[in-house]
Amino acid sequence: MALLTATRVRHYFGGLCAVSDFNLDLQAGELVGIIGPNGAGKTTVFNLITGVYRASEGSIRLRDTELVGKTPHQITALRVGRTFQNIRLFRDLSVLDNVRIAHYAQVRYGPLEALLHLGRYRREEQRIVENSRRLLSIFKLDHLAGETAKNLPYGSQRRLEIARALAIGPELLLLDEPAAGMNPNEIDQLMEFIQWIRREFQLTILLIEHQMKLVMGICERIKVLDFGETLAEGPPEAIQSNPKVLEAYLGEGPVG
Amino acid sequence: MKTRWSVGWEWLMAQRWLLPVLVAVGFVLAFAIEYDLFNNEYVRGVAMSVGIPEYTLEYTLFNKYVQLVMMYVGINIILTVSLNLVNGYMGEFSLAHAGFMAVGAYTAALLTQKVLPVAAYPGLFPLAVLAGGLMAAALGLIVAVPSFKVRGDYLAIITLAFLMIVKSVIENIDTIGGPRGIPGIKKLTTLPWVFFWVVVSVWVVRNFVYSKYGRGVLSIREDEIASDLMSVNTRRVKFLAFMVSSFFAGIAGALFAHLLQFISPRVFDIIKTTDVLIMVYLGGIASIGGSILGATVYTVLLELLRPSTVAAMLAWLPAVALDPLNEYFIRHLGVWRMVIMPLLLVLVMLYWPRGIMGLREFRWFIPRRDLEAHHRQHAHGGSHGAAHGH
């Protein structure tokens, strides 16, 4: 059964068509990559799925729920987690708080219990502290729980962002250029890591990436966007040899 | 570097049981001062029988003036802590605080003047105060709505407009006194009541801050879109933050009205908001401990700068020294103190931009769970308690 279905999604910024006729059929458990040159509309697709923008036309469904028209926190509460192209941590908050905040929708206590610290407050707080510590230790950030997020080295910030996205308890994880700024060695580790969290948390992953090594290495299916339009779609081998893709994305073919 | 002072401070902050003890002592003291138990014969007898010398009891430290200042300090703490929720924790810039105060003050004053038989039943006063808070909270909900769409300077302008609307609405309703205000309000605000509401406001705001909603407020300050994408219902969080903030502004207004015994629209103008803003930034943003310190320091300093107070403090000087001081300095303080305080704020902002304890918190106020969760691995502590992350 399809987890995420996008049908004929279009989005305009003013007169500019940023995404046109975008279709996607994401099966549960799949790992799919979206590639394309800068400005191809990749991040816009993420923003449309997560409700940051409201699609001008078309429909995006998560199982049977229509996502177009919902607010970001409603969509996130349906267990859709994401990271950002340029890290968007809560920079001045602690590492632990970054992860705890993402539990918001799962915490089951109301305003009155929060104001008086009564009822379910204690139990729920204990639970999210434990879950946050567990996630942090998986990402080897446990010892930095009290540290301010902005003081972390770049790689740790990337890991924290994924940990925070997982705190939502996602079924679908959207990774926006997870390998940005990493060296080949780190990319190898990241590939293993993505495979691992996918198994461990039973995730369906949709990722945007410029690093061909990562995309070709782990994605089962790749979708190529250019100027908001889908150029090609298929398994890595087919994409690699697709002349249209080579022209649009990798330049005018291999230099002789 | 661990100095003897910081070690001592660490130890003190670890004694968490002291906080409830201090609150209890505060209550006892508030009652004792209010009902003048220091001059009660029975109390004096008991005190002297346990060996407290009589002359210490003769000394009336808490005269009416000092009591008045203490109550102003308390009311200002309530105002500062509640404004800090929106301006500090949430990082917005609301100027409407005096407006909420006015709503609370008018609601409570009208209730005690015209509706509730407080003369016969003084126990009804807390009801009036509560009603003032609730009325202000209801208006807080309305002010929260524009904050969904606009931020920063633009929201500041909207809250300023709200403040002006409240003021002119009151000025134009003749049945509540119009621009003349309400004179002759009964003096029902007492030290124990002020202390009670200070404790409640600090406790509730602290509870709010250390809950999922409080963390939501902090995440909105950091990055509102990311916050929304991490499942935080930002609208709900803003509603709650504005409601709690304006509720306590209303409470403070109600207490203020029954202390000053006279209110008029002019009392609750932009200057009043500015006073609270100064206390927030002097104490430091996003800090309850800072707000308490900021409100106390500001209120007490302003009182200390009164010509009569300074003259009384320097009375021990010989006339040779006192007379020229009086002539050139003390006599003019009445004018200059309103210059000295803002000047102090300018200096604080330039050289100490985070205020007394901006973004830091007394560890006593931080729930134990939070402290432990943050520091299970390596216990580090600043000299002013744990930086709680932001």
Side-chain angles (χ1 to χ4, degrees), chain A residues 88 92 94 100 115 121 133, chain B residues 207 210 223 370 373-374 389-390:
Chain A
R88 287 180 86 158
D92 287 320
S94 74
R100 278 203 293 181
L115 290 178
Y121 171 84
R133 298 288 309 202
Chain B
N207 283 355
Y210 294 101
D223 184 336
D370 265 69
H374 277 112
H390 18 87

Side-chain angles (χ1 to χ4, degrees), chain A:
Chain A
M1 182 196 170
L3 178 67
L4 186 81
T5 331
T7 13
R8 289 196 296 281
V9 174
R10 274 168 185 268
H11 191 67
Y12 299 94
F13 291 121
L16 180 82
C17 184
V19 173
S20 89
D21 252 348
F22 180 81
N23 292 292
L24 182 72
D25 201 16
L26 199 59
Q27 300 297 317
E30 260 192 313
L31 203 172
V32 173
I34 299 180
I35 62 172
N38 286 326
K42 304 184 297 293
T43 299
T44 307
V45 167
F46 271 23
N47 284 337
L48 289 171
I49 296 173
T50 52
V52 178
Y53 304 139
R54 190 199 163 109
S56 312
E57 288 170 32
S59 123
I60 304 170
R61 287 175 161 273
L62 186 76
R63 295 195 201 279
D64 293 323
T65 319
E66 178 62 56
L67 298 185
V68 176
K70 282 198 166 28
T71 61
H73 71 260
Q74 286 170 333
I75 293 170
T76 311
L78 293 168
R79 303 175 64 196
V80 179
R82 75 172 280 186
T83 64
F84 302 90
Q85 190 176 348
N86 35 5
I87 304 176
R88 287 180 86 158
L89 289 170
F90 304 121
R91 289 172 52 77
D92 287 320
L93 304 186
S94 74
V95 169
L96 180 74
D97 277 347
N98 265 277
V99 181
R100 278 203 293 181
I101 284 165
H103 285 83
Y104 184 95
Q106 301 163 43
V107 178
R108 271 180 283 280
Y109 59 71
L112 210 61
E113 286 162 298
L115 290 178
L116 305 177
H117 281 196
L118 287 175
R120 290 169 288 186
Y121 171 84
R122 266 163 224 282
R123 190 160 22 98
E124 288 290 281
E125 285 289 307
Q126 193 60 39
R127 184 171 69 80
I128 63 167
V129 165
E130 272 159 22
N131 195 42
S132 305
R133 298 288 309 202
R134 186 178 64 84
L135 283 169
L136 287 179
S137 62
I138 289 172
F139 287 79
K140 298 191 174 59
L141 294 164
D142 200 31
H143 60 293
L144 296 168
E147 195 59 64
T148 308
K150 67 178 173 197
N151 295 339
L152 261 52
Y154 182 79
S156 307
Q157 291 196 13
R158 281 261 170 226
R159 291 210 304 280
L160 176 56
E161 217 187 20
I162 298 176
R164 186 178 67 168
L166 288 177
I168 284 159
E171 226 179 339
L172 172 62
L173 182 64
L174 311 176
L175 298 173
D176 199 342
E177 295 199 29
M182 288 189 177
N183 65 35
N185 194 8
E186 289 169 326
I187 290 175
D188 286 339
Q189 288 176 9
L190 181 69
M191 284 162 67
E192 271 176 44
F193 186 69
I194 291 176
Q195 300 275 32
W196 185 81
I197 55 168
R198 177 191 178 194
R199 277 197 311 275
E200 193 69 18
F201 294 89
Q202 289 158 9
L203 298 170
T204 307
I205 297 177
L206 185 61
L207 63 84
I208 294 173
E209 192 46 76
H210 274 303
Q211 299 288 344
M212 280 307 126
K213 186 180 171 187
L214 186 138
V215 181
M216 297 300 169
I218 61 172
C219 291
E220 286 148 6
R221 204 145 55 90
I222 294 169
K223 202 171 171 64
V224 188
L225 293 188
D226 193 17
F227 294 112
E229 301 200 19
T230 306
L231 213 59
E233 190 173 349
E237 310 80 55
I239 297 294
Q240 246 167 335
S241 53
N242 186 323
K244 275 204 296 188
V245 176
L246 287 177
E247 193 187 317
Y249 193 68
L250 303 172
E252 303 284 311
V255 180

Side-chain angles (χ1 to χ4, degrees), chain B residues 262-286:
Chain B
F262 164 71
I263 51 173
S264 74
R266 235 178 315 158
V267 177
F268 306 103
D269 59 1
I270 184 76
I271 304 288
K272 190 76 211 169
T273 296
T274 317
D275 270 344
V276 187
L277 282 175
I278 292 175
M279 290 184 265
V280 168
Y281 291 99
L282 178 67
I285 59 158

